[in-house]
Amino acid sequence: IMPSLVGSEMCIRDRYVMRPPNRIWLATQLSEYMQANPGIYAMGDHAGTVAYISKQPIVQLEGLVADRNMLGFIQSEKELKAVLAYYKADYYIATDLQTTGPCFNVIEPRKAGPSSPVMRGHFCDPAEFVVPGRTADKPPLALVFALPD
C-alpha cells in the first residue's frame, strides 16, 4: 500500500463496490477535469486515490484523515452542504448516488455502518462533470457538483 493513499483505500475489506482498476480509471478521469478546473474539491470514498493521481489536495469527508472539526461534523450529523461551505469547497465529487427524481441524495462517510452517524446532502443542480460507468449499462461512477460561493 502506498503511504499517500488514505481512508478506505488502506482498509482491507471482505467486499468491494469498486475494484482497484475502476478506482484508478475513476481517478484518472477526475484528474483531467480537476486540472482544467482548479479549486478546492471535497470527496469521501476513493479520495486518497484521486488526490494521489490528480496531485491536488482534496477535503477528505470520511473523517479518517481529517481534522477534529470534520469528526465533530460527522458525529453531530451536520448537513453536508454546510460542511462543504465550512471547508470552502468549490466542488463536491459524489460517488454511489441515490436518486430522488431529478435530485441526488448522498451520505458521507459513504461506508459508515448502519447505526453510525453520517452527513447527508441533497443535490438538484446538474452535475458539472460525469464520470460514466465503464459500460453503457452501468450507472455513473461519480458526479462533480459545483458549489455556490
Side-chain angles (χ1 to χ4, degrees):
I1 297 176
M2 299 181 72
S4 60
L5 297 181
V6 295
S8 62
E9 288 87 351
M10 291 180 66
C11 297
I12 297 172
R13 299 184 186 274
D14 58 356
R15 64 182 172 82
Y16 289 94
V17 173
M18 186 181 299
R19 301 216 181 269
N22 278 347
R23 190 177 295 157
I24 302 298
W25 187 80
L26 169 70
T28 302
Q29 298 297 307
L30 288 169
S31 178
E32 292 173 11
Y33 176 82
M34 293 166 77
Q35 296 302 321
N37 299 278
I40 299 172
Y41 286 80
M43 183 179 189
D45 200 30
H46 311 304
T49 305
V50 174
Y52 179 76
I53 288 178
S54 70
K55 308 285 191 264
Q56 300 238 8
I58 296 179
V59 176
Q60 170 51 276
L61 297 172
E62 288 190 327
L64 295 173
V65 295
D67 59 18
R68 289 183 191 266
N69 291 328
M70 180 65 74
L71 296 175
F73 292 148
I74 294 170
Q75 186 176 26
S76 66
E77 297 187 339
K78 186 100 170 153
E79 200 277 326
L80 182 58
K81 286 185 178 178
V83 174
L84 297 172
Y86 175 84
Y87 287 98
K88 297 178 176 33
D90 299 304
Y91 300 94
Y92 170 61
I93 303 170
T95 59
D96 195 29
L97 302 156
Q98 300 170 2
T99 58
T100 305
C103 299
F104 297 95
N105 297 317
V106 296
I107 61 167
E108 297 290 355
R110 185 171 70 92
K111 293 187 178 179
S115 60
S116 297
V118 295
M119 302 174 293
R120 297 180 188 281
H122 191 72
F123 293 84
C124 294
D125 292 332
E128 291 282 315
F129 182 68
V130 177
V131 179
R134 295 293 298 268
T135 60
D137 61 326
K138 301 289 183 190
L141 291 177
L143 298 178
V144 178
F145 294 99
L147 302 171
D149 293 332

